[in-house]
Amino acid sequence: GHGSMYHHGFAMLGMSEVYGVLDEDSLWDGDTNTGVRRSIGESLELAVRATVTSQKNNQWNAWRYSPEANDADTSVSGAVLMGLLAARNAGVKVPDDGIDKALEYFRSMTTNRGEVGYSGIGGGGSNNLKSIAALVFAIGKRKNLAEYKAVLDRVTANLEVDEYSYPEYYRYYTAQALFQGDFESWNKWNLKTARQLKDLQSDDGSFQSQHGPAYGTSMSLLAMALNYRFLPIYER
């Protein structure tokens, strides 16, 4: 609703999960206003179309905050690319060349030492970005890349590191990256994260964050969701 490709990427991911597991008829039970209905499949097709159009108009074949942006960063692009991969996994038609070009953007932003840049030229980014890159390479079936092996090595070497810049975001992406790339390391990370979150949880069940309790609680739950395997895109 606000034109942010961050929102768009996470919404695509969430809608793809719903599309893959829900009997859509249950959404409309008792609803007589049939003229304004749009199915989840139709919504996803429109979301993919908007995403692909934005990418085609971008010199980096990736995304930034605005759908009209001509620059790109690996944080927004990671969220959008995961949404596209989820839509494809759910059965929505996604152009292969769009996925390939986005993954090539991530490869270009990753050095042979496993550093991942934020925007512009690759390298020198945060631990968050290393986890995002490792995840999209894994879900995008690029585990054969030298850049993937290098960035995964950096992620697994940071198991005892706490990221104080956007910690909820870091826990979420690192959990996914390790789950896909190094299951033994994920088990260690998962136990550490569970202990941390137990200490951080408020009496009412929420988790505070710099973006408020709704964001903090949602991201904390998603960081632990792999214990239950509820999200199809994150199956190993």
Side-chain angles (χ1 to χ4, degrees):
H2 300 288
S4 168
M5 293 304 285
Y6 253 136
H7 302 162
H8 186 71
F10 280 114
M12 264 200 303
L13 176 58
M15 292 281 282
S16 297
E17 295 293 348
V18 171
Y19 182 68
V21 301
L22 180 71
D23 176 4
E24 192 160 325
D25 288 342
S26 64
L27 290 177
W28 311 111
D29 189 26
D31 183 5
T32 59
N33 190 13
T34 59
V36 296
R37 292 181 183 174
R38 176 180 289 153
S39 73
I40 294 173
E42 290 169 335
S43 297
L44 272 174
E45 288 174 353
L46 288 171
V48 168
R49 189 190 308 173
T51 304
V52 171
T53 299
S54 175
Q55 182 187 30
K56 286 180 177 178
N57 293 331
N58 187 284
Q59 64 175 325
W60 301 100
N61 294 306
W63 302 271
R64 206 158 194 191
Y65 298 105
S66 165
E68 292 85 16
N70 197 34
D71 58 347
D73 73 61
T74 47
S75 183
V76 172
S77 295
V80 176
L81 180 52
M82 286 302 296
L84 278 182
L85 289 165
R88 184 171 73 174
N89 287 356
V92 176
K93 186 176 180 179
V94 178
D96 287 341
D97 67 327
I99 299 290
D100 292 343
K101 288 176 180 178
L103 289 167
E104 177 60 23
Y105 167 71
F106 271 92
R107 192 199 63 77
S108 72
M109 295 295 289
T110 306
T111 72
N112 58 10
R113 297 180 59 189
E115 295 285 347
V116 180
Y118 173 65
S119 186
I121 304 301
S126 67
N127 290 325
N128 298 358
L129 300 180
K130 295 179 181 67
S131 294
I132 291 168
L135 177 60
V136 297
F137 285 140
I139 298 294
K141 304 188 185 305
R142 295 297 192 276
K143 288 187 175 183
N144 59 313
L145 292 178
E147 289 83 0
Y148 172 70
K149 296 178 176 66
V151 76
L152 182 63
D153 284 346
R154 295 298 298 272
V155 175
T156 56
N158 289 334
L159 294 184
E160 300 305 318
V161 174
D162 287 321
E163 181 65 52
Y164 296 101
S165 174
Y166 307 106
E168 297 84 13
Y169 192 64
Y170 179 58
R171 291 189 198 103
Y172 168 70
Y173 272 115
T174 302
Q176 322 300 338
L178 290 172
F179 186 76
Q180 296 295 335
D182 188 322
F183 195 64
E184 183 178 345
S185 293
W186 174 78
N187 278 313
K188 295 177 182 176
W189 170 266
N190 188 53
L191 289 172
K192 173 191 170 185
T193 303
R195 289 193 296 266
Q196 284 182 331
L197 292 177
K198 184 177 180 181
D199 292 338
L200 291 171
Q201 191 169 27
S202 302
D203 291 340
D204 66 355
S206 67
F207 294 87
Q208 299 300 315
S209 78
Q210 65 194 94
H211 299 300
Y215 172 83
T217 305
S218 299
M219 295 298 276
S220 297
L221 285 171
L222 286 169
M224 298 304 297
L226 292 164
N227 290 280
Y228 306 99
R229 315 292 198 271
F230 286 152
L231 303 178
I233 193 172
Y234 294 134
E235 293 174 353
R236 295 181 69 249

